[in-house]
Amino acid sequence: MTTWKLVKLNFGRSPVHFGELGIGMEESKERVRSDTLFSAWVTAYARLFGKEAVEKLLQEFQQNTPVRMSSTFIYREVDKRTIFYLPRPLKFPINYPKDNDLAFFKTYKGLNYLPLEIWQRWYQTEGFSTDDSQELIDRTNKKDGTVTALKNAGTFDYKTAFSTDKVPKIAVDRVTRATNLYHTGFVQYHWEQNGKDVESLSGLYFLLQIERDDKQLITQLQHALEFLGEQGIGGERTSGAGQFKVQWLELPKIWQSVTKFSDTSAHQCLLSMFWDNDQAILQNLITANSSSYEIQERGGWLAESNIRRQMVRMFTEGSVFPKQPHGKLIDVTPSEFKRHKIYRSGISFSLAIKVQI
């Protein structure tokens, strides 16, 4: 029996540095993708429970995938309600006016993330409306219109959930002792002081789809994630970055309806990174006119070393396929690394949606 969990990562006053291939130290992404989350989580699991336990865990993921996880996405606390953002699928929603969208298309394309309320309406229930068109036109023309459903849902406020900054740092050459000034980018989620406590007003969340009722495994994964929160995720952890507290939640009512949605013509929208090397499977997924996807090269360094993992190209969140993808773990062990295998998760997490073909 499949069960679902929503997990919130509350960073409080702790900034984060999430680097990705090609963006450099001066920039930081505001969220963590599923493959990076998986790697950090498994590393924490190995430190807590040892080599044999983590090898058994990885074997389970290779054989029957006990748990699927989404990438992390932004949440905001606004007026006693939580706004969850999801990536806009790379297909138009039903009822989208493709033939006369020039008045607002640029604004629409700029909406990389949608509030769950709008995401569900556009891609699972009524679809795109004439009021949505008018509000996007008013937004494009910088007018205060009478239609405000998108605005009230937080559609245009994604970037208000966090702020970015660059911190100057000094690197010292070990041989010559020469110094070099550089800058590191950090993201700070919003928070406020509530008495002696720090309350997170925004942060990250992700979804878990638990495929097997194994209480011991789930408890161990919970402990490992809490341990990861103490250690920190991302870069610049020695500077105190990336530390978080974990909230394990049952699915709110709106999420229950989103995850249970089904339709005879439904497609699947990726909410995680995805990889597979079976050409027959991939050919069925990328059928012309039925799929729309983006691919990103993923790399990175091994923890506490100067050795790079093997590069791999993966489908990104928001990609849309006519069938449900499944994915696999990828062996990305560098040839010069002999201690143990290194894996990146290409196991998919997707939700059913309706799209305009």
Side-chain angles (χ1 to χ4, degrees):
M1 177 179 175
T2 299
T3 58
W4 299 78
K5 296 288 183 183
L6 188 148
V7 184
K8 291 172 73 175
L9 308 181
N10 301 320
F11 291 86
R13 290 181 294 189
S14 178
V16 300
H17 176 80
F18 299 140
E20 288 192 359
L21 189 67
I23 70 172
M25 285 297 292
E26 290 195 5
E27 304 294 334
S28 174
K29 299 294 289 183
E30 73 274 11
R31 64 182 187 87
V32 176
R33 298 181 188 268
S34 59
D35 56 337
T36 300
L37 175 63
F38 180 88
S39 297
W41 201 344
V42 168
T43 299
Y45 189 96
R47 289 174 177 171
L48 269 185
F49 301 110
K51 181 180 179 181
E52 290 186 8
V54 77
E55 287 179 347
K56 180 181 177 182
L57 177 69
L58 290 170
Q59 187 175 27
E60 290 189 53
F61 272 98
Q62 289 174 307
Q63 293 176 349
N64 52 30
T65 313
V67 177
R68 293 181 183 272
M69 67 183 70
S70 74
S71 294
T72 65
F73 303 106
I74 292 287
Y75 77 85
R76 294 174 57 227
E77 304 290 353
V78 181
D79 298 329
K80 297 183 179 180
R81 68 187 176 107
T82 304
I83 301 175
F84 298 101
Y85 288 92
L86 283 176
R88 177 175 55 79
L90 298 177
K91 281 280 190 182
F92 290 117
I94 56 173
N95 303 326
Y96 182 86
K98 287 191 295 185
D99 296 332
N100 60 344
D101 67 345
L102 292 180
F104 63 82
F105 180 71
K106 185 176 180 180
T107 302
Y108 170 85
K109 290 293 286 185
L111 300 176
N112 296 318
Y113 298 92
L114 300 172
L116 180 60
E117 172 188 338
I118 302 301
W119 192 95
Q120 182 187 37
R121 176 162 67 82
W122 281 7
Y123 289 96
Q124 290 187 341
T125 57
E126 303 102 290
F128 199 85
S129 70
T130 54
D131 281 349
D132 294 330
S133 295
Q134 185 58 55
E135 189 171 354
L136 290 175
I137 290 172
D138 291 339
R139 184 78 179 183
T140 302
N141 296 329
K142 299 180 180 179
K143 292 182 179 180
D144 293 328
T146 57
V147 181
T148 59
L150 298 180
K151 178 182 177 181
N152 292 341
T155 305
F156 309 113
D157 299 330
Y158 176 79
K159 291 186 178 180
T160 65
F162 57 90
S163 57
T164 59
D165 196 11
K166 294 179 181 179
V167 177
K169 296 204 168 187
I170 298 291
V172 181
D173 189 280
R174 294 180 180 179
V175 178
T176 66
R177 311 304 295 174
T179 59
N180 180 48
L181 175 67
Y182 67 100
H183 290 79
T184 300
F186 287 94
V187 169
Q188 179 71 67
Y189 305 107
H190 292 175
W191 58 274
E192 69 178 9
Q193 195 75 36
N194 188 1
K196 294 182 179 180
D197 299 324
V198 173
E199 182 178 354
S200 292
L201 300 180
S202 64
L204 300 177
Y205 78 94
F206 64 94
L207 299 171
L208 284 179
Q209 186 178 359
I210 303 169
E211 303 284 5
R212 195 177 73 229
D213 185 17
D214 187 334
K215 291 183 174 59
Q216 181 181 1
L217 173 61
I218 301 307
T219 299
Q220 289 177 331
L221 287 173
Q222 288 177 336
H223 291 328
L225 187 61
E226 289 163 0
F227 177 66
L228 176 61
E230 296 172 359
Q231 301 296 304
I233 188 171
E236 300 296 315
R237 294 190 299 275
T238 56
S239 301
Q243 297 176 351
F244 59 85
K245 293 183 179 179
V246 185
Q247 275 186 285
W248 296 83
L249 305 172
E250 301 298 328
L251 285 186
K253 187 175 181 179
I254 185 174
W255 273 111
Q256 293 178 27
S257 62
V258 166
T259 57
K260 291 178 181 178
F261 172 77
S262 63
D263 186 88
T264 54
S265 61
H267 284 54
Q268 292 286 322
C269 176
L270 271 184
L271 297 185
S272 70
M273 303 298 283
F274 161 64
W275 179 90
D276 203 311
N277 60 350
D278 188 313
Q279 294 302 311
I281 291 176
L282 292 176
Q283 190 62 40
N284 285 331
L285 287 176
I286 58 177
T287 306
N289 299 325
S290 295
S291 60
S292 184
Y293 55 86
E294 289 183 353
I295 294 176
Q296 185 180 82
E297 192 170 56
R298 304 291 286 166
W301 301 91
L302 297 185
E304 300 175 357
S305 78
N306 59 351
I307 303 176
R308 276 195 174 277
R309 298 183 182 94
Q310 291 185 24
M311 297 290 186
V312 62
R313 290 167 60 82
M314 306 178 71
F315 294 93
T316 65
E317 307 96 335
S319 296
V320 177
F321 302 109
K323 300 178 181 179
Q324 184 174 19
H326 294 285
K328 301 174 181 177
L329 293 187
I330 318 157
D331 185 347
V332 292
T333 311
S335 58
E336 64 268 38
F337 189 80
K338 307 297 183 183
R339 285 190 291 171
H340 54 78
K341 293 288 187 181
I342 305 295
Y343 293 96
R344 183 179 292 277
S345 176
I347 297 171
S348 72
F349 183 107
S350 63
L351 291 177
I353 61 172
K354 295 186 291 186
V355 297
Q356 186 163 282
I357 304 299

